[in-house]
Amino acid sequence: MLPDSQMLLDAARQAAACAARLRLPLRTRVWQGAAGELAGAGTGASMDFQDHRPYFPGDDPRHINWQAYARTGQYTMKLYREEVRPSVDILFDASPSMFLTPEKALRSAGLLHFTLECAQRGGAALSIHLLGQTAARAIEPASVAAMRWVDELPAATASPNTLPDLHAIRLRPNGLRVWISDLLCTGDPAVPLRALGHGHGSGIILCPFAPEEAAPEWAGACDFLDVESGRREARHIDAGVLRRYRAAYDAHFQLWKEQARRFRTPLARIAATGSLESALASGALPAGAVETGT
Amino acid sequence: MPEFRLAQAGPLWLTLHVPLSFANPLGLLALLGVPAVLAIHYLQRRTRTIPVATLFLIEQRRDQSRMGRRFERLIGSWPMWLQLLIVVLLAAHLSQPRWPLAGSVQRLAVVVDGSASMRVSKRDLLHQLTTVAQRCQSLARRTEYLVLLDDPTQARLYAGDSLPAMLQALERWNPVGGPVDPTPSLRLARERVGKHGLVVYATDTPLEKLPADAVLLAVGHPLANIGITGLSVGQQDGQAVWRALVCNRSASPQTRAWHLEWDQGMRSPDALVRLAAGGMESLSAAMPAGATRLRLVLDKDEFSLDDSFAFLTPTPKPLTYRHSLPAGLNWLPERLGRSVPGMAAAAPGMAADIVLAAASDGQFPTVLGSGILMSATGDANAKTLAQPVVAVHHPMVAGLSWETLTVQDVPMVPAKPSDVVLVWCGPQPLVSLRPVPLAEGAAAAATPAQQLVLHFNPEFSNMERLPAAAVLFLRYCEEVRLAKRGTSRDQLEPRQALAPLLPGELHGELVSETLDLAGNIVSSRNIPPNGLAGLRAPDEPGFLRVREGATTLIDGAVAFADAREGDFRACATRVATTDVASDSTAGDALGPWWPMVVLLVLLALLASWALIGKASRTQTH
């Protein structure tokens, strides 16, 4: 079920509260890009002293260290860190599985709002892409802030659970790519992970999950309805089937974690239960997907 | 009559030869709860629709099929299995399974209807008896069988403990008799098997009530039978003519072809006889010239005994008489010669079989052999005896009425002490049989001749017009004829006793031969002198000869003539048997375990409730 306005309001409220304590790891990296508020990879005009170097003709004389010249008689330049504005690309998986249960829908929406809040607080240049089952759509950050993004979700179509083609999305170079997805799809995880790191970018995966998926209590005759493809399948679930399902579920995410580790992409599984802050603290913080705000 | 409580409960055990029975087979009806429980679970258990995003992680079934869905709705429910267990335990409790005790013996006595109509149902009888016998086998470690005929005078067919041997004995058995009251044989069978044994009356015509706690095993079925009910040979226009009656015992008109065959391959053309439903038709034709052995043949049907009728050209054993009666009594020898078949006056100088003599001076003349003696005194004006005339109970006068006999009250020839008086008028003997002392050298076993004595003068009575007197004279002549040594040509029935047809005096060993139509010997056997009681006509219709040396004593034709046996309209199949389990042969299979069974039922009940409650809460959650 898609989140309604009340749920979006709750999600935004939880995200705001959470963003006051946690944030995206924007400050732990050195960015490149337009002038901004965060330290860049090069030298700039910020207040942060970075290094000394001999003077070369053409250097700005305002940055000559006159005290050093008085001591040594050599012109020495003072170098200051560059301040840049990072770019953050938010890739939100808008497939029906993200809204499988009300809790998971709330958590998915909360993560989107949290990411947006963190990026805005970090002064990042934002772009938001809603990834549908077959197509992606870029939306304005204001749309999320105004809680109108649900209306802009790509129309749901019955299609198999396959990985989205992130290469087809124009991601800005040197940026942070936050992929919010439950990863419940088939395919090689390396493909989207490689796309996340494309163009010197770095990626973060925030993966909401519902306990109904991780530890279901199915028993007996069940008529399963695949929310992605619309396919129905009647199955009798006994303890053996349930045990094998859980093993397959664990193996699925174990594979994703291994691949994410290989591509140095933090992957945080965010439980749909409890508050967003506690879920991020227990899932995203240890994975390095978020950091504390202090 | 006790009904078979659950005839269908046995086949599985019978097939598997599991020695298990049920004291109350109706209790097995509780097993109907099994499909009921399954149906309840099937109907109650609705599949839940569960939206998932991880269907690709659920393992794919190998037996994926469209029909699998309904079946799977019944799998894997502890409450269901527990409820099924409860049903099974309850069925076991109600049906009271019995296990044969060590050393137990179950006795089965079968009284079979020996009537000829049972030939048609013999195969069904064997099949049904096998089922009953196998059921008895399941009741005890050992089973004893006894097979009797409903006629208690007949020998038993089988006694022993082998079912195949019993069935073989019945297979060999050829019923030829008529209907007999089975009560004596059933009581005898009950005595033989005791109160715990099973007595079965096997017949083709169901009876409503049976004595001796016998159970009915009716194996007959209605049959459209066409048969010959009788045949006689008489004279018509000075020519011998045979006449047969053919009866249609069915509810529909029937047409049959018939022909006559005789002696050495002679055969008449086929002719058709059309019979209305339940109707009779008469067939008749002149006796073929020179024919001795004849057979009337109808088209065969399921009951073949009455589809042919073997008969002989009637040639009675000749009898001769001589008389020395006054003129007023000459009517008697004259009528005897005219009325008694084969009777003729003895040739001069030849011995007569019957001597007719009148008394003179109150004394009968001396007659050494058979004879009819009578008084010759009387007066036309004498009064008649006023006292009533009565007859004693004797075969010679059975069924005859003597009340109208008028006899003059004149002095009569007195009776001797050895006389057997047949007819009395007050204290006065009127008719008696007087034994003739055996001559010296006669065989001890020989039947003594008898003389018929009329103590009054028939001339001065109405005896000449009295029917009873004519019958008495005829009976006497036939008795003399029977005792006379010579060839007797008789029409016989299957298994008819032949000893009464033999002359009283036999000199050597008899030979009984069955003949074919041409008179050729088909089979032969010697009859020892002490085996005369067992000398009977064959079971199958045909021709027979009994001879003593070169002297033929009986030349007979055997034909089935019991019209009752050819009527199958009342026949039906009705298997009514009873629960034959008894304490003497079978013990309670679950006896020591009943507390455990009850405990199991209670535990299963509680567990089922608990599991249902838990499932309900889970569903709600």
Side-chain angles (χ1 to χ4, degrees), chain B residues 3 39 44 56 110-111 159 201 224 264 319 333 353 368 405 448 451 481-482 484 497 512 518 566 580 604 620:
Chain B
E3 284 296 321
Q44 278 191 339
F56 66 99
V110 183
V111 176
Y201 178 53
Q264 193 72 41
L319 277 181
D353 297 318
L368 295 180
L405 177 63
Q451 297 169 342
R481 191 202 307 271
L482 185 63
K484 181 181 178 182
S512 173
V580 292
T620 305

Side-chain angles (χ1 to χ4, degrees), chain A residues 223 225 227 235-236 244-245, chain B residues 48 50 52 54 59 75:
Chain A
D223 190 7
L225 170 63
V227 295
R235 293 296 307 271
H236 182 269
R244 288 188 287 277
Y245 166 79
Chain B
R48 294 177 294 149
I50 303 175
V52 293
T54 53
E59 63 179 4
I75 294 179

Side-chain angles (χ1 to χ4, degrees), chain A residues 97 100 104 161 182 184-186 213 217-228 231-237 241 244-245 248-249 252, chain B residues 45-65 68-77 618-619 621:
Chain A
S97 64
L100 181 67
K104 190 177 179 184
N161 295 0
D182 56 9
L184 294 178
C185 43
T186 57
E213 299 163 350
E217 293 183 347
W218 304 323
C222 299
D223 190 7
F224 292 112
L225 170 63
D226 188 355
V227 295
E228 299 280 345
R231 185 165 64 93
R232 282 181 176 274
E233 184 171 328
R235 293 296 307 271
H236 182 269
I237 303 298
V241 175
R244 288 188 287 277
Y245 166 79
Y249 184 87
H252 176 76
Chain B
R45 193 153 188 182
R46 299 188 183 94
T47 52
R48 294 177 294 149
T49 298
I50 303 175
V52 293
T54 53
L55 191 57
F56 66 99
L57 293 176
I58 302 174
E59 63 179 4
Q60 294 300 305
R61 281 186 318 206
R62 292 174 185 167
D63 56 340
Q64 193 94 26
S65 70
R69 178 179 173 186
R70 291 177 180 276
F71 177 70
E72 286 190 359
R73 286 170 68 172
L74 282 173
I75 294 179
S77 162
T618 304
Q619 294 272 2
H621 175 70

Side-chain angles (χ1 to χ4, degrees), chain B residues 264-300:
Chain B
Q264 193 72 41
M266 306 299 287
R267 186 181 191 277
S268 71
D270 275 344
L272 291 179
V273 55
R274 292 179 175 80
L275 299 134
M280 297 181 76
E281 287 292 336
S282 172
L283 306 178
S284 74
M287 293 286 285
T292 53
R293 294 183 177 83
L294 305 97
R295 180 184 290 130
L296 177 63
V297 180
L298 280 178
D299 280 350
K300 279 190 178 299

Side-chain angles (χ1 to χ4, degrees), chain A residues 105-203:
Chain A
L106 177 63
R107 185 54 31 93
S108 299
L111 288 174
L112 176 61
H113 283 271
F114 169 74
T115 310
L116 175 68
E117 186 74 19
C118 289
Q120 286 179 337
R121 291 192 182 196
L126 265 172
S127 70
I128 301 176
H129 301 270
L130 299 181
L131 310 181
Q133 292 168 286
T134 55
R137 174 183 293 176
I139 62 171
E140 292 299 323
S143 173
V144 177
M147 301 175 196
R148 293 195 311 270
W149 59 274
V150 174
D151 303 330
E152 300 183 38
L153 287 176
T157 56
S159 61
N161 295 0
T162 53
L163 285 168
D165 183 11
L166 298 188
H167 288 286
I169 301 171
R170 180 172 292 180
L171 300 176
R172 291 169 294 178
N174 301 314
L176 178 66
R177 290 83 182 255
V178 181
W179 186 21
I180 303 171
S181 171
D182 56 9
L183 304 180
L184 294 178
C185 43
T186 57
D188 183 7
V191 177
L193 287 170
R194 189 173 292 114
L196 286 181
H198 183 70
H200 302 288
S202 58

Side-chain angles (χ1 to χ4, degrees), chain B residues 378-389 403-412 425-426 428 430 456-463 465:
Chain B
D379 184 353
N381 298 320
K383 293 181 181 177
T384 57
L385 289 172
Q387 291 165 300
V389 180
E403 285 87 353
T404 56
L405 177 63
T406 57
V407 177
Q408 287 186 333
D409 187 8
V410 295
M412 298 185 186
C425 181
Q428 175 63 47
L430 297 181
F456 59 94
N457 185 353
E459 183 182 356
F460 298 105
S461 77
N462 63 346
M463 195 170 192
R465 299 180 300 279

